[in-house]
Amino acid sequence: MKISKKRKIALFLITLLCIITLISYLNFRGFHAKFYNKTGKDLDSLVIAGTLIGDLKSDNSTKNIDFKKFVFDGDIPYEIISSKIKNKKVEQLNWSDCGTNIEAQTKGSYTFDIKKALDENGNTCLYLVEHNKKIFWEEK
C-alpha cells in the first residue's frame, strides 16, 4: 500500500504537534520560580533548594527556574538558600520554630524576592518572600 505525499505530510504534522504538546505539558506541570534580588547586595554562588543559581546582581532577577519540589511553611516559602556576599557565606534565616505547616509543592509558577535580615546573633541571613510582598515581621 502506497501512502500519498499529502498523507505523509499530514501524519508528520500531527506527530510533530503531539510531540510539542507532550513537551509543553511535561514542562509546565512542574514547579517554576523566578527570583528577584532585593538584598541591596550582589549575590555570588547563590543556591536555592539545592539548585545552583549562580551570581545574581542587586536589583536583578533570574529566568524561570524549574524545581522538582519547593518547600513552604503555610504560604511562605521556606526553602534552603545560601550565597556569598562580598566573599562571606550567608545562609537562610531560620524563622520558623514550629514547622507544623511545612509542605512541599511540586506544581505551579511563582515569583519570589530574596531579602536579607539579621538573626538573633546579628548575622546577616537570607530569606524568601512572595514578590513585592512583606513577610509577617516586616509589616510592623
Side-chain angles (χ1 to χ4, degrees):
M1 178 162 105
K2 189 173 182 181
I3 300 176
S4 70
K5 186 174 183 178
K6 285 183 180 181
R7 178 73 84 186
K8 286 180 183 178
I9 291 172
L11 287 172
F12 173 75
L13 290 176
I14 290 171
T15 304
L16 184 62
L17 184 62
C18 288
I19 290 171
I20 291 171
T21 303
L22 179 63
I23 289 170
S24 297
Y25 170 75
L26 293 174
N27 201 22
F28 290 115
R29 70 169 215 203
F31 189 96
H32 314 284
K34 184 174 186 173
F35 301 93
Y36 287 85
N37 180 353
K38 301 287 186 165
T39 64
K41 305 287 183 184
D42 292 344
L43 300 175
D44 300 318
S45 306
L46 176 63
V47 176
I48 301 174
T51 301
L52 176 63
I53 309 300
D55 298 341
L56 184 57
K57 300 288 184 195
S58 178
D59 296 319
N60 283 344
S61 67
T62 66
K63 303 178 287 183
N64 276 329
I65 300 169
D66 299 330
F67 296 90
K68 290 183 180 179
K69 64 178 181 168
F70 208 85
V71 176
F72 287 82
D73 188 349
D75 61 348
I76 301 172
Y78 195 70
E79 196 52 77
I80 297 171
I81 178 172
S82 67
S83 184
K84 289 183 181 177
I85 297 177
K86 294 185 179 180
N87 290 323
K88 183 179 178 189
K89 179 117 176 167
V90 180
E91 299 194 6
Q92 89 259 12
L93 179 64
N94 293 311
W95 53 265
S96 177
D97 293 330
C98 165
T100 57
N101 288 328
I102 290 183
E103 185 176 310
Q105 297 288 331
T106 58
K107 297 179 184 175
S109 292
Y110 294 84
T111 307
F112 301 114
D113 290 340
I114 303 170
K115 294 185 176 184
K116 68 178 182 165
L118 298 177
D119 67 8
E120 63 276 358
N121 298 323
N123 299 315
T124 300
C125 297
L126 302 174
Y127 65 96
L128 297 172
V129 66
E130 188 178 342
H131 184 54
N132 289 330
K133 300 281 172 107
K134 293 182 177 183
I135 202 161
F136 59 89
W137 65 75
E138 292 180 302
E139 294 175 356
K140 295 179 181 178

